Amino acid sequence: MNIIGTLSQKPWLDNSPGEIIDETFGNGLRPKQIALNFFLGAVTVMFSLFIVTFVARSQYPDFQALAGDVWQPFYDPMRLWVNTGLLFIGGIAIQASSYFAKKEKTKYAVIALAFALVFTLQFLVAQMMLWQHLHNLGYYVASNPANSYFYILTAIHGMHLVGGLLVLMNALLSFYRKNSFIQFSNSVRLCTRYWHYFFVVWLVLFALMTSSTETFETLAALCGY
């Protein structure tokens, strides 16, 4: 019955005044949510392919993992932990913004969203500083396959976060221009899912970047390489 109800919906019609769109599955499956799910599915496929090729490439003689031994840059992954903390706080902030938006507490929702923007920007800046740190240590893009994948994967991840930041800033500007709290609330709730997804992606990348050569050999064996 839920499928029939979903198919019979008319999303092109305006919602009644004061209605906050339910973005959860089952009752309020909306076109924007469906589009987001398809997009995240495509991103999952893209990152999965990169990770599979990364593991396969790790079995070539010229591959040198970035972690495992004392002289390798991610033997002590403190910088990565700091960056992870920044992104985690940003995720908490946007979750709080979504919560306050659902409760129609506009002021707190906007403040929490501002914190999410600030901490996500700090994460991106910290990532660029990490790139510079590795470059100064002599870990250039083309000098080692592990380096190349680190720069590529973190760059793709960062670009998606930049896209999310633009959406959030547009939601804020639209709210102040049109004073449409419903549109603002729905944008924040969709972006919250987006942020949590890319935090999980970052955790996977973190695990890969701090893996030793032995770990890559185990992963390659599990994948049949």
Side-chain angles (χ1 to χ4, degrees):
M1 294 300 295
N2 287 335
I3 296 177
I4 296 175
T6 300
L7 294 175
S8 64
Q9 289 178 359
K10 300 179 177 59
W12 55 86
L13 297 180
D14 293 335
N15 299 290
S16 58
E19 178 186 355
I20 301 295
I21 296 177
D22 183 10
E23 296 294 348
T24 58
F25 283 103
N27 295 324
L29 199 60
R30 300 297 185 180
K32 288 183 179 180
Q33 184 184 16
I34 296 173
L36 177 62
N37 290 340
F38 272 111
F39 175 76
L40 295 182
V43 173
T44 301
V45 172
M46 178 185 66
F47 274 105
S48 297
L49 291 175
F50 268 113
I51 291 171
V52 169
T53 58
F54 187 10
V55 172
R57 189 66 179 83
S58 69
Q59 299 310 292
Y60 285 75
D62 61 339
F63 181 88
Q64 295 180 358
L66 296 175
D69 295 312
V70 178
W71 60 83
Q72 293 168 325
F74 294 152
Y75 172 79
D76 178 10
M78 180 55 65
R79 288 175 177 266
L80 292 176
W81 278 116
V82 171
N83 296 4
T84 302
L86 292 171
L87 191 59
F88 178 69
I89 295 173
I92 292 177
I94 197 170
Q95 180 66 50
S97 179
S98 178
Y99 171 79
F100 288 128
K102 188 175 182 180
K103 298 295 183 180
E104 300 188 36
K105 297 181 179 180
T106 310
K107 178 181 177 181
Y108 296 111
V110 171
I111 292 174
L113 185 60
F115 274 103
L117 290 171
V118 169
F119 279 99
T120 304
L121 281 172
Q122 287 183 335
F123 169 81
L124 293 172
V125 171
Q127 288 290 81
M128 289 188 286
M129 292 174 64
L130 180 57
W131 286 3
Q132 186 63 48
H133 173 69
L134 290 179
H135 188 270
N136 293 338
L137 292 177
Y139 289 86
Y140 308 117
V141 175
S143 59
N144 173 27
N147 303 358
S148 303
Y149 274 96
F150 170 78
Y151 288 113
I152 290 172
L153 290 172
T154 53
I156 294 173
H157 180 263
M159 285 189 293
H160 282 93
L161 284 181
V162 170
L165 287 174
L166 294 176
V167 172
L168 280 184
M169 288 187 286
N170 181 66
L172 274 175
L173 292 174
S174 297
F175 172 67
Y176 282 111
R177 285 199 306 261
K178 303 176 183 178
N179 198 29
S180 174
F181 184 73
I182 296 175
Q183 181 180 352
F184 171 77
S185 176
N186 292 329
S187 296
V188 170
R189 294 172 69 184
L190 286 173
C191 286
T192 299
R193 177 177 299 184
Y194 186 89
W195 248 250
H196 293 339
Y197 171 86
F198 278 101
F199 180 71
V200 173
V201 170
W202 170 249
L203 292 180
V204 174
L205 298 182
F206 184 105
L208 278 176
M209 297 309 145
T210 56
S211 294
S212 63
T213 301
E214 292 75 17
T215 301
F216 279 112
E217 289 176 353
T218 302
L219 291 174
L222 292 174
C223 294
Y225 295 116

